[in-house]
């Protein structure tokens, strides 16, 4: 395990928060899969899932790299790491390692070995996203790929438009600003 050295995740890590992450995943999974295909995800790769959350993408990555590959699942939340490990164990995967820690801290982990480092909606929660990017880059081997997906909350909407949803996104941006993070980083 890696020592947790950062602030708590603002949106929660309880069971309801994990369910929310799974629902979010269902809405955007297609785009993540498409992006990872363009990034060259394939069997036998060593991949990091930074900010693994409930493990939905970790499961996809473990399936994609197969038994010949390996996935490192990292999250700041001990609860989320435990959920990810349980999810992958229940699905029968053995090609993964779960780590609890802060990507903006120095990680005691394999450096320069990853073919791909993936993070989805992680930078938006960090006070120093540039430090996280440097840490992620150190995990990559020469020629490795960093694949990120982030939000642009001020452009988020639903159709048909609804004032309550617009208020939610504006409030979320303000919450991030209050805590010194950028929920509009994408």
């Amino acid at each position: 395990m890696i020592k947790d050295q950062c602030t708590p995740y603002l949106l929660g890590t309880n069971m309801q928060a994990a369910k929310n992450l799974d629902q979010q995943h269902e809405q955007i999974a297609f785009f993540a899969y498409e992006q990872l295909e363009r990034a060259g995800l394939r069997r036998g790769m060593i991949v990091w899932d930074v900010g693994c959350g409930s493990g939905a993408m970790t499961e996809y990555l473990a399936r994609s790299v197969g038994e010949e590959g390996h996935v490192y699942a990292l999250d700041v939340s001990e609860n989320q790491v435990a959920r990810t490990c349980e999810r992958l164990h229940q699905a029968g995967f053995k090609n993964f390692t779960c780590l609890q820690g802060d990507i903006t801290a120095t990680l005691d982990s394999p450096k320069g070995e990853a073919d791909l480092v993936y993070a989805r909606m992680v930078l938006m929660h960090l006070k120093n996203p540039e430090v996280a990017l440097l840490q992620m880059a150190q995990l990559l081997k020469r020629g490795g790929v960093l694949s990120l997906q982030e939000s642009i909350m001020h452009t988020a909407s639903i159709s048909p438009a609804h004032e309550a949803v617009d208020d939610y996104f504006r409030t979320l941006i303000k919450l991030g600003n209050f805590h010194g993070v950028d929920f509009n980083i994408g």
Side-chain angles (χ1 to χ4, degrees):
M1 293 289 175
I2 300 169
K3 185 179 178 195
D4 179 4
Q5 299 177 9
C6 77
T7 57
Y9 179 62
L10 290 177
L11 300 181
T13 61
N14 61 19
M15 285 302 290
Q16 183 59 50
K19 287 179 185 177
N20 292 345
L21 286 176
D22 285 343
Q23 287 176 342
Q24 174 188 1
H25 171 74
E26 290 174 19
Q27 299 297 313
I28 62 177
F30 171 80
F31 303 105
Y33 302 159
E34 186 178 76
Q35 177 175 324
L36 287 165
E37 182 179 322
R38 286 193 316 265
L41 179 64
R42 65 187 177 285
R43 297 188 78 70
M45 284 185 137
I46 296 173
V47 177
W48 278 77
D49 183 6
V50 176
C52 64
S54 63
M57 283 305 296
T58 313
E59 185 174 351
Y60 174 79
L61 293 167
R63 184 175 299 106
S64 297
V65 302
E67 292 177 15
E68 317 83 69
H70 196 84
V71 177
Y72 292 91
L74 174 71
D75 203 284
V76 69
S77 165
E78 193 172 333
N79 291 341
Q80 299 292 45
V81 171
R83 282 187 191 92
T84 296
C85 284
E86 180 63 23
R87 178 185 204 132
L88 270 70
H89 280 297
Q90 285 183 357
F93 291 103
K94 294 178 176 57
N95 61 341
F96 68 96
T97 301
C98 291
L99 302 166
Q100 189 261 324
D102 178 359
I103 190 61
T104 64
T106 301
L107 300 175
D108 181 24
S109 58
K111 302 266 194 286
E113 295 181 9
D115 298 292
L116 176 71
V117 173
Y118 175 75
R120 177 169 74 186
M121 296 190 196
V122 170
L123 299 180
M124 65 187 278
H125 296 285
L126 304 177
K127 291 185 180 188
N128 298 304
E130 58 283 338
V131 174
L133 290 169
L134 290 172
Q135 291 288 63
M136 288 183 224
Q138 288 182 7
L139 297 170
L140 290 168
K141 69 181 184 183
R142 187 177 185 96
V145 176
L146 178 59
S147 181
L148 305 169
Q149 292 181 298
E150 290 295 329
S151 66
I152 305 174
M153 291 289 176
H154 79 271
T155 63
S157 64
I158 61 168
S159 182
H162 194 282
E163 186 60 30
V165 173
D166 293 340
D167 284 344
Y168 168 77
F169 288 120
R170 283 192 296 270
T171 302
L172 195 58
I173 291 168
K174 287 178 186 175
L175 174 67
N177 291 339
F178 178 78
H179 286 280
V181 297
D182 186 0
F183 284 172
N184 212 23
I185 198 167

